[in-house]
């Protein structure tokens, strides 16, 4: 069976992005991993942080076929917990005993779920994911974005959430 993992990085668990991600996760029947609950420290060139929660979480990610990255747009970029997670992927490109494992990211589908206060999501925000996925040999699956200028109202986004969940299910099955 194809598996999907959702990683949420936001400064509040039940804020706009968390609620958008929860609605999508309930359509997909998956759990959401809250990066803020994990003890994951910033990238360290000396890799003195290998005992934190990053490697066990990456093992879960590497066992999944599709990865959903959920973050609000904070200053045209991802949230701090998401940035730390993305930076730490470099461990799998640097540390000799993780290199083989890291290659398993290749071919996985990556999806972006995000909220901001505009109709259009910042192109810098999306480009960072697009280029990161490309570098890692991942497939860019698509973006689900909600304008939350007036907060997150589930009923305003039901159609897009349904369509995105269908896209994820179809693409993840197609890749088998
Ligand atoms: C620190 C900070 C920076 C933000 N920067 C942007 C931005 O650059 N562009 C934008 O459209 N919205 C920006 N916003 C608004 C958030 O993207 C928006 O309110 C989002 O839905 C918040 O999601 P959350 O509840 O998960 O934190 C910012 C909000 C905060 C708190």
């Amino acid at each position: 069976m194809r598996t999907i993992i959702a990683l949420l990085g936001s400064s509040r668990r039940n804020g706009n992005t968390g609620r958008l991600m929860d609605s999508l996760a309930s359509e997909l029947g998956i759990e959401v991993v809250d990066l803020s609950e994990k003890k994951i420290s910033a990238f360290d060139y000396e890799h003195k942080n290998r005992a934190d929660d990053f490697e066990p979480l990456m093992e879960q990610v590497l066992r999944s076929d599709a990865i959903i990255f959920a973050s609000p747009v904070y200053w045209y970029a991802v949230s701090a917990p998401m940035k730390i997670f993305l930076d730490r992927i470099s461990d799998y490109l640097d540390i000799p005993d993780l290199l083989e494992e890291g290659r398993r990211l290749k071919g996985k589908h990556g999806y972006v779920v995000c909220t901001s206060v505009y109709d259009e999501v910042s192109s810098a925000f999306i480009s960072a994911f697009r280029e990161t996925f490309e570098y890692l040999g991942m497939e860019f699956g698509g973006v689900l974005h909600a304008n939350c200028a007036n907060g997150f109202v589930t009923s305003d986004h039901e159609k897009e959430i349904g369509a995105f969940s269908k896209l994820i299910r179809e693409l993840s099955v197609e890749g088998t």
Side-chain angles (χ1 to χ4, degrees), residues 20-60:
L20 174 63
M21 188 57 244
D22 286 340
S23 305
L24 177 66
S26 98
E27 290 270 328
L28 291 166
I30 60 167
E31 299 292 317
V32 177
V33 177
D34 181 4
L35 294 176
S36 300
E37 281 202 344
K38 302 278 179 192
K39 286 196 171 36
I40 301 179
S41 61
F43 178 79
D44 172 10
Y45 279 99
E46 293 176 17
H47 307 301
K48 286 184 180 156
N49 51 6
R50 286 196 65 180
D52 71 10
D53 289 342
F54 178 68
E55 287 183 32
L57 176 57
M58 264 304 272
E59 278 165 32
Q60 242 182 297

